[in-house]
Amino acid sequence: MTFCLNTMASLLKALSGTLLLIALVMPYCDAHVQPRHAIRKHHKHRPNFKPGHWKQAHATFYEGHTGTFGGACGYEDVAKEGYGLNTAAISTAMFNNGQTCGACYEIKCVNSPQWCKPGQPSLHVTATNLCPASSSGGWCDPPREHFDIAHPVFSHIAEYKAGIVPVQYRRVPCKKQGGIRFTITGNPYFNLVLVWNVGGSGDVVGMQVKGHDKLKWTTMKRNWGQKWETNAMLVGESLTFRVRGSDGRYSTSWHIAPKNWQFGQTFEGKNFKQRSRSKPRR
């Protein structure tokens, strides 16, 4: 009888010790191990890029041609890259050291009945270049906000003879055909990737690259305009690119460049989509 009582006492003592250990460890587990539903919260879809507020600026024109180059944004040929002549060089105050490259705008000629086209038609353009500041107080000098537009599309909103007109403008979502394009140039020790044809916010504020083998997620740095650089070894890797727009949305294009990709090639990835709003249930 005494033996049984001693055995039961030992078991109860061991059990109480185990329960005490569990009580001490559980708060730690709760703090460091997130349930699945908690993890998913970090991956909720961000809302679509929405038009911004109307602002005041001025617009001029230049004699644009179909072979217009992208200049300070790094685009090779805006006509071949799908931007056409609906492009604009923007003033330093708007350019933001190249971060605004690729952003889309709606522009209207205002407060100039003599020169504005009747009905205030809208013009949609993509920022593809910098209108450089001068030393003599020009229209593109800070802090002025200004658009220099290709002549053929400038004439959609104002008369050619006007030269310069006051305008209202706002940021709008970019609607592009197909996916984001990634053009890889450089050499095995210095890689440059031009990002173009971006939908949604249109501009890219962050970029990463990942390979299929040795190359882990690597943050790329803006070289100029929408050209991004890295010294990481990309050669021989199947490449995945992840871009972040100014609205905080991400787009990841998985393994779009094969292991045998070559410098000078362009690859098409996944674009930002404008998700339609779901209809309320009745």
Side-chain angles (χ1 to χ4, degrees):
M1 183 69 178
T2 303
F3 173 77
C4 291
L5 291 174
N6 290 337
T7 302
M8 290 180 63
S10 298
L11 290 172
L12 289 172
K13 185 177 180 180
L15 180 61
S16 63
T18 302
L19 292 173
L20 178 61
L21 180 62
I22 293 174
L24 292 172
V25 171
M26 280 301 292
Y28 178 86
C29 293
D30 289 340
H32 291 78
V33 180
Q34 293 181 323
R36 288 186 178 182
H37 65 82
I39 295 174
R40 288 195 193 103
K41 290 181 181 179
H42 297 291
H43 296 279
K44 283 187 175 180
H45 291 300
R46 289 181 178 269
N48 291 340
F49 184 82
K50 297 179 180 179
H53 299 294
W54 289 100
K55 297 181 180 181
Q56 305 296 320
H58 284 82
T60 50
F61 66 85
Y62 66 93
E63 295 293 341
H65 300 286
T66 56
T68 303
F69 292 100
C73 286
Y75 303 123
E76 304 298 332
D77 188 319
V78 294
K80 292 181 180 179
E81 291 167 353
Y83 297 108
L85 290 177
N86 283 57
T87 60
I90 54 178
S91 60
T92 304
M94 303 172 66
F95 192 67
N96 196 16
N97 294 319
Q99 180 177 307
T100 312
C101 291
C104 297
Y105 296 91
E106 181 182 2
I107 303 173
K108 292 183 177 184
C109 179
V110 296
N111 302 327
S112 185
Q114 180 182 2
W115 302 119
C116 294
K117 289 294 179 72
Q120 283 191 330
S122 290
L123 174 64
H124 290 80
V125 298
T126 302
T128 59
N129 205 348
L130 168 67
C131 181
S134 67
S135 58
S136 56
W139 284 105
C140 291
D141 289 2
R144 290 174 172 165
E145 298 189 343
H146 189 86
F147 295 88
D148 196 26
I149 306 168
H151 167 235
V153 293
F154 176 88
S155 61
H156 292 174
I157 60 171
E159 296 294 338
Y160 174 78
K161 294 180 179 180
I164 182 169
V165 292
V167 297
Q168 283 186 337
Y169 78 93
R170 64 176 179 170
R171 283 280 299 271
V172 292
C174 294
K175 299 178 181 179
K176 304 299 181 185
Q177 296 294 322
I180 298 175
R181 308 304 207 281
F182 302 87
T183 301
I184 309 173
T185 57
N187 59 64
Y189 307 101
F190 182 75
N191 306 274
L192 275 178
V193 180
L194 171 64
V195 186
W196 52 283
N197 199 56
V198 182
S201 66
D203 51 359
V204 175
V205 300
M207 183 167 169
Q208 294 175 297
V209 61
K210 179 184 180 300
H212 77 289
D213 188 14
K214 297 179 181 180
L215 182 65
K216 308 305 179 184
W217 278 116
T218 300
T219 299
M220 303 186 72
K221 182 175 67 174
R222 188 189 304 277
N223 182 280
W224 57 285
Q226 286 301 356
K227 285 196 172 185
W228 296 77
E229 68 173 76
T230 180
N231 294 327
M233 182 57 67
L234 306 187
V235 174
E237 298 269 5
S238 173
L239 300 177
T240 294
F241 294 103
R242 176 175 291 161
V243 299
R244 179 167 65 91
S246 61
D247 57 354
R249 294 171 65 191
Y250 288 84
S251 176
T252 304
S253 301
W254 292 97
H255 305 297
I256 58 170
K259 291 187 292 184
N260 61 345
W261 63 267
Q262 301 293 317
F263 289 103
Q265 288 183 311
T266 297
F267 302 96
E268 182 175 354
K270 179 183 177 183
N271 218 328
F272 293 100
K273 300 295 184 182
Q274 291 294 107
R275 292 181 291 273
S276 59
R277 296 180 180 178
S278 58
K279 296 181 179 180
R281 295 180 180 179
R282 295 181 179 179

